[in-house]
C-alpha cells in the first residue's frame, strides 16, 4: 500500500503541475471573458434556483438538481480539504482556493449549459447528460466521452465515496471511540436506503438535507469568526500576503513557494466546488428547465455557495484560530482543522463534528448518481444495479483504509476527469457564446427552447450518435 501511495503521489505531482493550473485557471478566465462575466448574474441565478419551470421537461426540479449537485460538492473538501491545503501550502492556499471559486462560477455555468444542450432522452423518458454526451454529440469525440465516463466512474469511488466514508469513520472513532467497522456498516445501510430509489429519491433527500446543513455550518462559522474578531483582519492579511510570499506567513504555518500554495489551493478548490471537473452537469441534465441558460445560471450558483461562501469561511476560521492560538497542531489537514475548531468553547467541536458528518454523507449520495450515469453511458442500464452494490461496498472499505492514500487517489481522478471536460468547454466555446448571447444578454431568459431536439436512446445500450 505504501508503494502504491508513493506512485500515486508522483503521478499527482505531474497532473497537478503548472500545465493543469494553467489549463484550469486559464479556462475559468477565458470563459469569464468570452461569456461577458456571468458572475454578474449570480443573484438572478440564486432566484432561479428556487423557481419552477412547470412546463419544462426533465426528471427533477431545478432546485432538486442544484441540491443534489451541492450535496456532492459540499463535502470534506470544504472542511478537511481546506485544512489540508493550509497545512501543506500555507494560508495563501485559501486565497487560491477562493479565486478558483470566483472564476469557476463561469465554468460551472458553461458546464450546465452544455449539459442541457446535449442531453438525450431514454425510451422511458429519463434525461441523461454530462460531458460525455457533449463530447460525443457536440464534438463527435465519443472516444474521449468514454474516457471521461470511465474516469468519472472511478472517481466516484474516490472523491465521492471512500474519502467521505473515511472522514466519517475517523470522526466517530476519535470523538466517540466507535469502531470504523461498525460506522462503515451503518453508513452502508443509510446509503443503500437512499440510492436504491434513483435520482428522484436522492434529490428528495438532498433538498431536505442540504439547506439545513449549509445554514447550520455557515451560522456556526460566523459565530466563531465573531469570537475571533480581533484576529479576523490579520487573518485576511496573512491569507492574501502569503498567497504571493508563502514564507512570510510565520507562526506554525509552512513556508514554501507560490507554486506549492497555488497547487494545493487550486486542487482543493476543484475538489471542493468541482468547477471544471464535469461532475455537476451530469445531474444538471436531469433538471426541468425552459432553456440551457436558465439551468446554467442555477448550476453556477452552486460554486458560489460552495467555495465563495463555505470554503472561504472555513479558511478564515482556521487561519484566525491559528493566529489566536499558536499552539495549534499543524501535523496534517485533519488535525489542523480539528485543533482550530476545538479552540472555540462549546460550539467549535460540535460544529465540526456535525458539519463533517452531514457534508460527507451528502456527498456520498450525490456522487452515487454521477457514477451511476457514467456506468450507464459505458455499459448500459443493465449495469447500474451492479454499480450500486459495488458503491455501497466501497463505502465500507473507505471507512477502514488509509486517509492519505484515499486523498491521493481522489486528486488523481479529479485531474483525469477535468482534462477531457475542460477540452469540451474550450472547443464548444462558440456554442456557449451563441446560447448565452441569445438567452441571457438578448433578454430571452424566459423563452422555451425550440431548436434542441433530444436524441432518444435505448435504456439497455450505450447511446447512439445524435440525429
Amino acid at each position: 500500500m505504501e508503494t502504491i501511495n508513493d506512485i500515486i503521489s508522483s503521478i499527482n505531482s505531474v497532473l497537478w503541475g503548472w500545465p493543469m493550473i494553467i489549463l484550469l485557471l486559464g479556462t475559468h478566465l477565458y470563459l469569464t471573458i468570452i461569456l461577458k462575466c456571468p458572475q454578474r448574474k449570480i443573484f438572478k441565478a440564486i432566484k432561479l434556483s428556487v423557481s419552477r419551470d412547470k412546463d419544462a421537461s426533465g426528471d427533477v426540479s431545478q432546485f432538486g438538481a442544484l441540491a443534489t449537485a451541492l450535496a456532492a460538492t459540499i463535502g470534506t473538501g470544504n472542511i478537511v480539504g481546506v485544512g489540508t491545503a493550509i497545512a501543506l501550502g500555507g494560508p495563501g492556499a485559501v486565497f487560491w482556493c477562493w479565486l478558483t471559486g470566483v472564476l469557476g462560477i463561469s465554468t460551472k455555468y458553461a458546464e450546465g449549459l452544455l449539459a442541457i444542450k446535449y442531453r438525450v432522452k431514454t425510451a422511458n423518458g429519463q434525461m441523461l447528460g454530462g460531458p460525455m454526451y457533449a463530447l460525443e454529440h457536440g464534438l463527435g469525440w465519443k472516444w474521449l466521452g468514454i474516457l471521461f465516463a470511465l474516469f468519472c466512474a472511478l472517481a466516484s469511488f474516490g472523491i465521492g465515496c471512500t474519502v467521505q466514508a473515511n472522514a466519517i469513520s475517523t470522526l466517530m472513532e476519535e470523538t466517540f471511540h466507535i469502531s470504523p467497522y461498525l460506522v462503515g456498516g451503518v453508513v452502508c445501510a443509510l446509503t443503500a436506503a437512499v440510492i436504491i430509489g434513483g435520482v428522484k429519491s436522492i434529490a428528495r433527500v438532498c433538498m431536505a438535507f442540504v439547506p439545513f446543513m449549509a445554514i447550520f455550518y455557515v451560522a456556526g462559522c460566523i459565530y466563531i469568526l465573531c469570537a475571533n474578531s480581533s484576529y479576523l483582519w490579520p487573518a485576511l492579511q496573512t491569507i492574501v500576503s502569503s498567497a504571493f510570499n508563502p514564507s512570510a506567513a510565520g507562526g506554525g504555518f509552512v513556508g514554501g513557494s507560490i507554486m506549492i500554495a497555488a497547487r494545493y489551493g487550486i486542487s482543493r478548490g476543484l475538489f471542493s466546488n468541482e468547477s471544471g471537473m464535469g461532475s455537476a452537469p451530469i445531474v444538471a441534465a436531469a433538471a426541468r428547465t425552459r432553456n440551457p441558460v436558465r439551468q446554467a445560471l442555477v448550476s453556477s450558483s452552486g460554486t458560489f455557495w460552495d467555495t465563495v461562501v463555505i470554503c472561504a469561511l472555513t479558511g478564515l476560521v482556521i487561519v484566525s484560530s491559528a493566529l489566536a492560538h499558536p499552539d495549534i497542531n499543524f501535523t496534517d489537514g485533519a488535525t489542523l482543522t480539528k485543533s482550530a475548531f476545538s479552540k472555540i468553547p462549546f460550539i467549535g467541536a460540535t460544529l465540526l463534528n456535525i458539519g463533517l458528518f452531514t457534508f460527507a454523507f451528502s456527498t456520498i449520495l450525490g456522487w452515487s448518481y454521477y457514477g451511476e450515469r457514467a456506468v450507464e453511458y459505458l455499459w448500459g442500464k443493465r449495469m447500474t444495479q451492479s454499480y450500486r452494490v459495488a458503491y455501497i461496498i466501497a463505502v465500507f472499505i473507505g471507512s477502514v483504509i488509509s486517509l492519505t492514500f484515499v486523498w491521493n487517489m481522489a486528486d488523481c481522478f479529479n485531474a483525469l476527469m477535468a482534462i477531457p471536460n475542460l477540452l469540451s468547454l474550450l472547443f464548444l466555446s462558440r456554442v456557449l457564446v451563441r446560447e448565452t448571447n441569445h438567452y441571457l444578454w438578448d433578454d430571452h431568459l424566459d423563452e422555451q427552447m425550440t431548436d434542441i431536439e433530444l436524441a432518444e436512446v435505448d435504456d439497455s445500450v450505450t447511446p447512439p450518435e445524435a440525429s
Side-chain angles (χ1 to χ4, degrees):
M1 183 66 73
E2 187 175 343
T3 302
I4 295 174
N5 190 50
D6 291 340
I7 294 172
I8 297 298
S9 296
S10 299
I11 294 173
N12 281 338
S13 297
V14 176
L15 289 174
W16 285 107
W18 275 112
M20 172 57 77
I21 290 176
I22 293 171
L23 177 61
L24 184 61
L25 279 183
T27 302
H28 289 349
L29 185 59
Y30 173 69
L31 291 174
T32 297
I33 293 171
I34 67 169
L35 298 177
K36 304 175 185 177
C37 194
Q39 289 91 332
R40 291 183 289 160
K41 295 290 185 178
I42 190 62
F43 294 109
K44 177 68 173 179
I46 293 171
K47 181 179 179 181
L48 285 175
S49 69
V50 293
S51 303
R52 289 182 178 271
D53 281 356
K54 297 180 180 179
D55 299 327
S57 57
D59 300 327
V60 296
S61 67
Q62 289 178 313
F63 181 70
L66 175 63
T68 303
L70 279 173
T73 54
I74 300 179
T76 55
N78 297 85
I79 304 178
V80 177
V82 174
T84 300
I86 295 171
L88 298 176
V94 177
F95 173 85
W96 294 109
C97 181
W98 182 83
L99 183 63
T100 301
V102 172
L103 295 176
I105 290 174
S106 61
T107 301
K108 187 64 73 69
Y109 166 92
E111 291 175 325
L113 193 157
L114 294 182
I116 300 297
K117 179 71 176 176
Y118 294 107
R119 67 182 178 179
V120 299
K121 187 177 182 179
T122 66
N124 67 358
Q126 186 181 28
M127 296 293 186
L128 303 177
M132 52 278 204
Y133 294 93
L135 286 163
E136 178 181 352
H137 302 316
L139 293 170
W141 297 351
K142 184 173 181 176
W143 64 274
L144 196 55
I146 291 173
L147 280 179
F148 172 86
L150 180 62
F151 295 146
C152 180
L154 292 172
S156 70
F157 291 103
I159 180 178
C161 181
T162 51
V163 163
Q164 315 302 329
N166 191 282
I168 293 174
S169 66
T170 300
L171 170 70
M172 292 299 171
E173 184 177 27
E174 293 180 353
T175 305
F176 304 107
H177 307 292
I178 302 175
S179 168
Y181 292 92
L182 177 59
V183 173
V186 172
V187 177
C188 278
L190 293 174
T191 302
V194 177
I195 70 174
I196 199 70
V199 65
K200 293 184 179 180
S201 174
I202 295 171
R204 281 195 300 270
V205 173
C206 292
M207 286 170 66
F209 203 42
V210 169
F212 160 76
M213 72 180 193
I215 292 171
F216 175 82
Y217 185 75
V218 168
C221 284
I222 292 174
Y223 170 83
I224 293 176
L225 291 177
C226 289
N228 289 341
S229 58
S230 59
Y231 293 92
L232 183 57
W233 179 247
L236 285 169
Q237 290 179 312
T238 301
I239 288 170
V240 175
S241 62
S242 60
F244 304 98
N245 184 18
S247 60
F253 294 112
V254 298
S257 65
I258 295 176
M259 176 64 185
I260 293 175
R263 176 199 165 186
Y264 286 107
I266 292 171
S267 65
R268 289 297 176 254
L270 175 60
F271 183 90
S272 170
N273 63 54
E274 301 176 14
S275 292
M277 194 190 304
S279 51
I282 296 175
V283 70
R288 290 190 290 271
T289 185
R290 296 180 202 173
N291 58 65
V293 170
R294 288 176 73 90
Q295 183 55 38
L297 287 171
V298 172
S299 294
S300 71
S301 68
T303 298
F304 171 79
W305 293 120
D306 180 271
T307 305
V308 179
V309 176
I310 294 178
C311 278
L313 287 173
T314 303
L316 282 172
V317 166
I318 293 174
V319 175
S320 64
S321 295
L323 292 177
H325 306 279
D327 61 327
I328 280 180
N329 194 329
F330 283 80
T331 303
D332 55 56
T335 303
L336 171 59
T337 304
K338 183 178 180 179
S339 298
F341 275 82
S342 64
K343 292 297 182 181
I344 305 300
F346 307 113
I347 192 175
T350 301
L351 174 67
L352 177 63
N353 292 338
I354 296 176
L356 192 57
F357 177 83
T358 55
F359 283 17
F361 181 65
S362 68
T363 299
I364 291 173
L365 299 182
W367 262 92
S368 70
Y369 179 77
Y370 296 161
E372 186 175 317
R373 293 287 77 80
V375 166
E376 183 172 352
Y377 179 83
L378 291 168
W379 297 294
K381 197 169 183 65
R382 63 184 180 276
M383 292 299 295
T384 57
Q385 290 296 334
S386 298
Y387 169 81
R388 290 177 184 175
V389 173
Y391 191 84
I392 293 168
I393 293 173
V395 169
F396 181 81
I397 294 174
S399 300
V400 298
I401 63 175
S402 166
L403 180 64
T404 302
F405 175 74
V406 171
W407 276 100
N408 281 332
M409 288 293 293
D411 273 348
C412 181
F413 288 131
N414 287 357
L416 291 174
M417 279 182 67
I419 293 171
N421 177 61
L422 292 172
L423 289 176
S424 73
L425 296 173
L426 293 173
F427 282 94
L428 289 171
S429 59
R430 288 186 179 181
V431 175
L432 294 170
V433 170
R434 184 179 68 243
E435 297 289 317
T436 300
N437 285 341
H438 175 72
Y439 287 110
L440 186 59
W441 304 124
D442 292 342
D443 200 23
H444 296 132
L445 199 56
D446 293 329
E447 182 179 303
Q448 184 76 33
M449 54 186 175
T450 57
D451 59 337
I452 301 174
E453 295 182 359
L454 296 174
E456 289 200 357
V457 298
D458 191 306
D459 288 0
S460 61
V461 298
T462 302
E465 296 292 333
S467 56

